[in-house]
Every structure is written in structure tokens, then in C-alpha cells.
């Protein structure tokens, strides 16, 4: 479970990138976080994961406050950032072992998990190559593998399908569904509205730092307009704020 209460962030004084955000992502659901470029999605995700501190408000992950109990909170989630271009001088296997050390995964368990997940994403044969030699899609895959290695309760994914081939994208979506069915949490941002419509139990729409809507697609149609697509509803909701 992920809870945000009155979360605010300013980069420039007087201009709030995230403005008094209240949000609860429940156990057992896939939650899609939608918004135009610059709406505040990545800033929100970076505050949830502790990369940025909120100026105001409280963020809890499985009831652990990200500022007061950062280690416990961070052990309970796996994070895929908006860019996979990191630790590029490491070999893929070195990167995964590094993360396994951080999360204190036992030797045999990590070996089995690394083999299982990298074979699923078809990068097992490339683990002894430096990550700087990987394509963008392969870097995305290795970062996803690293985030899920310790089987965290909460998945926090920032545009996770970017750069993935169709099979890997399909596999990730199936893994997200399975994770939620196990009573755990998936929180992800995306620009692909069709994916959000088909995959999410609920969505939140943010624009200019303000949360404009939270609920199911059916609730959105009832509130705004019947017999229309998520794409049309998204444009109508966000353009009202322009």
C-alpha cells in the first residue's frame, strides 16, 4: 500500500510542481498514473521512492514513512526509473548481484531468481556484457529485472514499457496482473492510454501538479462523458486545466 497525504513540491518558489497531492494506492490493485509531460508524475514518483524530499506532506509505503523510516520503506518496493541509463560500466550480472547484496538476497535464491527473470526477458545470454553495450530496450529490461529481484510488495514503475519489444511488454503486463492478484501493489506511470485502459483497476490523472481525477474508467465516464475512450476523456480533463 502507498499513501500520500498533502504532498507538495516546489522547484521554483511560488510554482508548485506537485500541489497538495492526496492519494492511496491499495493492496491488490494496478494503479495507472497519467498526465501530460511536465504534469508532475515523475516528481511524485521520485518523492514516493525517497529520491526527492517533499516540501510538505507525508508519504508512507506499507505504513513506513519514507522520510522517518527510509530503509524499511525502501525494502518494501521495487523501482523502475524513467531512464535506464545507469551503472553502464557494470556488466549486467554485476548490476544484479549489486542489487541482490543491497536487498540481502541469499546466494542460492538470487542465482535462481536472476536466471528465472532474465530468461523471461531474454537477456540471460547478455549478462556478462557491459550495460553500456546494451540497446535501450535491453537496458530497460535489466533495470526491470533488478527492481523485481527481491520480490517487493510494491512495484513503482515510471514509464516501464518504454523501449520494450512486444513480447517483453506483454510479459511485464502479465507479471503486473499476477502481482496484483497476489494482493500486492502496482503503481505505474504511462503515456500509453490504451495500456492503462486495459490494465488498470484505477487511474489518477494529474496536470500542473494537481490531481484532477482518481477512480475507475467507468467512474470517469459517469463523471465526464459516456460512450467515449480514455484518450478522449484524458484530453477533455487535462485541457480544462489549460
Amino acid at each position: 500500500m502507498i499513501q500520500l497525504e498533502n504532498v507538495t513540491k516546489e522547484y521554483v518558489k511560488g510554482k508548485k510542481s506537485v500541489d497538495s497531492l492526496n492519494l492511496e494506492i491499495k493492496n491488490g490493485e494496478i494503479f495507472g498514473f497519467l498526465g501530460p509531460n511536465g504534469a508532475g508524475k515523475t516528481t511524485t514518483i521520485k518523492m514516493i521512492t525517497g529520491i526527492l524530499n517533499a516540501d510538505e506532506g507525508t508519504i508512507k509505503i506499507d505504513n513506513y514513512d519514507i522520510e522517518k523510516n527510509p530503509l524499511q520503506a525502501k525494502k518494501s518496493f521495487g523501482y523502475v526509473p524513467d531512464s535506464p541509463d545507469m551503472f553502464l560500466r557494470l556488466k549486467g550480472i554485476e548490476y544484479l548481484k549489486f542489487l541482490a547484496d543491497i536487498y540481502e538476497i541469499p546466494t542460492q535464491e538470487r542465482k535462481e531468481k536472476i536466471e528465472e527473470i532474465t530468461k523471461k526477458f531474454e537477456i540471460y545470454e547478455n549478462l556478462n556484457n557491459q550495460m553500456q553495450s546494451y540497446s535501450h530496450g535491453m537496458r530497460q529490461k535489466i533495470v526491470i529485472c533488478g527492481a523485481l529481484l527481491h520480490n517487493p510488495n510494491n512495484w513503482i514503475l515510471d514509464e516501464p514499457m518504454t523501449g520494450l519489444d512486444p513480447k517483453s511488454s506483454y510479459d511485464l503486463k502479465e507479471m503486473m496482473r499476477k502481482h496484483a492478484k497476489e494482493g500486492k501493489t502496482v503503481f505505474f506511470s504511462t503515456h500509453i492510454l490504451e495500456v492503462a485502459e486495459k490494465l488498470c483497476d484505477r487511474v489518477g490523472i494529474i496536470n500542473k501538479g494537481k490531481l484532477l481525477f482518481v477512480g475507475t474508467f467507468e467512474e470517469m465516464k459517469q463523471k465526464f462523458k459516456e460512450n467515449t475512450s480514455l484518450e478522449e476523456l484524458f484530453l477533455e480533463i487535462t485541457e480544462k486545466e489549460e
Side-chain angles (χ1 to χ4, degrees):
M1 180 181 288
I2 302 170
Q3 299 163 295
L4 293 83
E5 184 176 343
N6 297 321
V7 172
T8 297
K9 182 67 179 180
E10 288 185 4
Y11 291 113
V12 179
K13 190 171 177 61
K15 186 177 181 181
K16 294 179 179 179
S17 297
V18 175
D19 189 356
S20 301
L21 186 61
N22 289 282
L23 189 59
E24 182 176 296
I25 298 94
K26 303 170 186 175
N27 292 330
E29 77 171 344
I30 301 175
F31 188 95
F33 200 41
L34 315 177
N37 291 334
K41 299 189 302 298
T42 294
T43 295
T44 299
I45 289 172
K46 286 184 176 179
M47 288 191 289
I48 292 172
T49 54
I51 295 171
L52 294 174
N53 290 327
D55 296 330
E56 299 174 17
T58 303
I59 299 170
K60 292 183 179 180
I61 303 170
D62 287 349
N63 293 318
Y64 291 114
D65 188 302
I66 192 66
E67 290 194 22
K68 294 178 181 177
N69 304 103
L71 288 180
Q72 292 93 329
K74 290 177 181 181
K75 283 182 178 180
S76 68
F77 69 77
Y79 168 55
V80 173
D82 59 333
S83 171
D85 297 331
M86 59 182 73
F87 301 105
L88 297 183
R89 292 187 180 276
L90 293 181
K91 295 177 181 179
I93 190 63
E94 291 172 338
Y95 172 70
L96 295 177
K97 286 182 176 179
F98 168 62
L99 291 176
D101 286 341
I102 289 175
Y103 290 108
E104 300 177 332
I105 303 172
T107 302
Q108 187 58 35
E109 182 182 335
R110 75 173 62 179
K111 182 180 178 181
E112 292 171 359
K113 186 67 175 179
I114 287 172
E115 183 173 349
E116 174 195 347
I117 198 167
T118 57
K119 282 186 175 179
K120 189 173 192 66
F121 284 104
E122 299 180 337
I123 54 171
Y124 180 74
E125 302 299 329
N126 301 99
L127 290 182
N128 285 315
N129 298 334
Q130 281 190 326
M131 290 165 59
Q132 64 185 357
S133 71
Y134 289 3
S135 67
H136 178 85
M138 288 174 64
R139 292 177 189 177
Q140 187 74 3
K141 290 179 185 182
I142 197 79
V143 168
I144 291 170
C145 290
L148 308 185
L149 201 58
H150 64 297
N151 193 29
N153 285 336
N154 304 278
W155 293 4
I156 302 171
L157 317 174
D158 196 354
E159 298 284 351
M161 281 100 180
T162 302
L164 292 185
D165 56 78
K167 181 184 180 302
S168 296
S169 181
Y170 174 84
D171 287 342
L172 179 59
K173 286 182 280 189
E174 288 300 300
M175 291 168 70
M176 291 163 74
R177 289 189 178 100
K178 182 175 183 291
H179 193 70
K181 283 182 180 178
E182 292 172 352
K184 300 173 183 178
T185 302
V186 178
F187 175 74
F188 79 106
S189 70
T190 182
H191 282 111
I192 309 171
L193 299 180
E194 183 181 0
V195 169
E197 187 172 350
K198 291 180 179 178
L199 189 62
C200 297
D201 299 298
R202 292 191 302 147
V203 298
I205 296 178
I206 187 172
N207 194 20
K208 298 182 178 178
K210 289 184 176 291
L211 195 62
L212 306 181
F213 173 82
V214 176
T216 66
F217 178 50
E218 288 302 316
E219 288 169 343
M220 192 190 301
K221 288 199 293 185
Q222 290 170 13
K223 183 174 181 179
F224 295 99
K225 188 185 292 184
E226 293 281 358
N227 302 317
T228 192
S229 67
L230 177 57
E231 183 177 37
E232 290 169 320
L233 286 170
F234 173 82
L235 292 172
E236 179 176 331
I237 293 168
T238 55
E239 285 175 359
K240 280 182 178 178
E241 295 298 308
E242 295 299 328

